[in-house]
Amino acid sequence: MKKPLFDIDQAGMDVEVNSYKPGTGLAWPQLFPLKFSPKFDIKGLEGDEGIPVAAERVAFNTKAPKKTRKTVGAWNGKLGKYAVSREKDEIEINEYQDLQTLAAANTEDKATARYLVDLVYDDLTFVRNAMDYKMEIDCMRIGSSGIHDFPAKIDGEMATADTINFNVPKENFVGVETPWDDEANADGLADIHKWQNAIARKGLKKPMYAIMEKAKFNQLMAQTKTAKRLFPRCEQSLVTADMITLDGINKYMLGKGWPQILVLDTYATIEDKKGESVTIKPWNENVVTLAPIPQLGWTHFKPVPLVRDTAALQSQAKYYKITRYSELNPMLEVTMAEGYAQPGLINRRSLVFINTANTKWANGEAASKG
């Protein structure tokens, strides 16, 4: 790896990389915050997964009562590798150098100077955003399915039949009494409360948040029974759509001790090797996930080591490394990001995955109509 051909030094690259907060504007940093892992092998063990046991009050100078140790579910896995690169070819490198000459000859040409700076840093921005959006895709898929699979539609040639199972109890994957698109008969708020109660009766952490996609929340707002719950004394023909809001629903839910609703509206674009792009919704729109806290898990990561004795520039971002280097045959300028990471769920026995488009879980698929 050779020294970069474009005008950038180590200090400039470090400032650009470290001035950016990972996941800005995305959902995954809240639902799956970063958590350092010293090893590739990770074990998701949670000491609070058993039914809570109350402490006992004892006299001074007496031995504390011995409690049985709970056996908790565990998931084992290895950190996966995330990587993306972008290149500037020989033509782009020559065009850049020609622009440098023009800018040097005309120091008042601010637009060309700014364009040159953008050319230097745009690949850094590209790979940085690519890492964040790949994390968004994986975290949202896990958050709305309870597992991590690797389908060809998203993972392309890296697709496998493997599935990471986080050991959420099977009985926590459920359907609804009436699919939520039935505005006249569905009662989405009752469905949420029902499964909150089911977890609470087991003596586990009670779900206090219901996480759903915007499209699903729109269905919830359109339900006749939602309007009746929010305005029980009002003539229903006078209740208009603009009267039913997220704030209003959450105020109602808070008053009853029911879960607060968190609404997601997240998109990501994936690109195949042919350069064709498609925009997807990473969260399964059919699924509402109940959780005890407004966090579903952690994004475990291990820093990628810096390579010694190389002219390439390397900078450590929060959970990945960016490398910039050039090649001479053919002439290329390469910007690459690499990271070792794996999102994983917490509070697994208290999580509930509700398929709101089906009376059973059915892997989050809607019921067939016909």
Side-chain angles (χ1 to χ4, degrees):
M1 294 187 289
K2 307 292 185 181
K3 181 180 178 182
L5 297 169
F6 278 37
D7 290 338
I8 187 170
D9 58 15
Q10 186 66 59
M13 185 161 148
D14 288 342
V15 169
E16 177 69 15
V17 170
N18 294 319
S19 63
Y20 179 77
K21 184 178 179 181
T24 298
L26 300 179
W28 72 263
Q30 175 181 325
L31 297 181
F32 291 84
L34 290 164
K35 186 175 185 179
F36 170 78
S37 173
K39 298 180 179 180
F40 282 103
D41 290 311
I42 49 178
K43 294 184 178 181
L45 290 171
E46 295 178 70
D48 60 352
E49 284 211 337
I51 296 176
V53 176
E56 295 180 12
R57 184 167 182 162
V58 298
F60 286 102
N61 298 318
T62 59
K63 197 171 185 178
K66 184 178 180 180
K67 301 296 184 183
T68 57
R69 183 178 296 276
K70 294 285 187 278
T71 300
V72 300
W75 65 272
N76 299 328
K78 291 183 181 294
L79 296 177
K81 182 171 182 179
Y82 291 70
V84 63
S85 66
R86 202 181 197 191
E87 301 174 346
K88 282 185 168 61
D89 61 21
E90 189 168 356
I91 292 175
E92 292 170 309
I93 292 169
N94 274 282
E95 288 176 347
Y96 172 76
Q97 292 174 338
D98 291 343
L99 283 170
Q100 277 185 311
T101 302
L102 289 173
N106 184 3
T107 57
E108 294 182 0
D109 188 354
K110 305 288 187 187
T112 300
R114 180 68 251 176
Y115 184 71
L116 284 168
V117 172
D118 290 342
L119 278 178
V120 170
Y121 289 101
D122 64 352
D123 286 349
L124 291 175
T125 302
F126 176 86
V127 299
R128 182 181 65 195
N129 288 341
M131 294 293 284
D132 276 353
Y133 275 89
K134 175 57 176 170
M135 204 59 65
E136 181 84 340
I137 291 171
D138 284 358
C139 288
M140 296 305 101
R141 285 162 57 206
I142 292 169
S144 58
S145 70
I147 61 171
H148 191 181
D149 59 358
F150 306 89
K153 179 180 178 182
I154 293 175
D155 290 285
E157 293 182 357
M158 298 301 292
T160 70
D162 296 335
T163 297
I164 298 176
N165 190 328
F166 300 104
N167 296 335
V168 176
K170 291 182 179 180
E171 62 269 22
N172 290 21
F173 295 89
V174 300
V176 290
E177 295 292 330
T178 305
W180 282 20
D181 61 355
D182 185 344
E183 296 179 6
N185 299 301
D187 191 352
L189 299 184
D191 289 325
I192 292 171
H193 178 229
K194 171 185 175 180
W195 293 108
Q196 179 195 44
N197 265 348
I199 297 297
R201 285 196 297 269
K202 296 179 181 179
L204 301 169
K205 289 182 180 178
K206 183 165 64 174
M208 295 304 298
Y209 293 89
I211 305 165
M212 65 185 72
E213 253 284 338
K214 185 177 180 179
K216 190 55 54 179
F217 179 67
N218 289 338
Q219 285 185 357
L220 186 66
M221 290 195 299
Q223 292 170 8
T224 300
K225 291 184 179 181
T226 298
K228 288 181 178 179
R229 287 182 179 278
L230 267 61
F231 302 98
R233 296 182 180 85
C234 184
E235 172 58 47
Q236 292 301 301
S237 61
L238 300 178
V239 179
T240 58
D242 62 313
M243 295 170 64
I244 301 175
T245 65
L246 177 60
D247 286 343
I249 292 175
N250 275 340
K251 184 177 180 180
Y252 169 85
M253 301 287 274
L254 183 64
K256 289 185 168 291
W258 294 5
Q260 295 288 281
I261 293 173
L262 300 180
V263 179
L264 304 175
D265 188 22
T266 180
Y267 297 83
T269 299
I270 56 177
E271 180 179 305
D272 60 24
K273 288 197 170 184
K274 296 180 181 179
E276 297 176 352
S277 298
V278 59
T279 299
I280 64 171
K281 298 282 282 183
W283 187 276
N284 185 339
E285 291 186 0
N286 294 332
V287 177
V288 172
T289 301
L290 305 187
I293 59 176
Q295 176 187 343
L296 293 176
W298 295 104
T299 299
H300 303 273
F301 76 96
K302 182 181 187 299
V304 178
L306 298 175
V307 178
R308 296 182 179 182
D309 300 323
T310 177
L313 300 184
Q314 304 170 82
S315 287
Q316 290 282 9
K318 178 64 177 178
Y319 68 97
Y320 54 86
K321 181 184 80 169
I322 292 183
T323 304
R324 190 156 191 172
Y325 64 95
S326 66
E327 295 180 359
L328 300 180
N329 186 22
M331 189 181 294
L332 284 176
E333 176 92 342
V334 181
T335 305
M336 174 177 63
E338 314 169 85
Y340 306 134
Q342 176 59 56
L345 296 170
I346 58 172
N347 295 312
R348 290 163 290 159
R349 293 185 66 191
S350 292
L351 299 180
V352 181
F353 296 85
I354 307 174
N355 183 349
T356 63
N358 205 323
T359 56
K360 54 187 177 181
W361 170 242
N363 294 320
E365 297 291 335
S368 59
K369 296 180 180 180

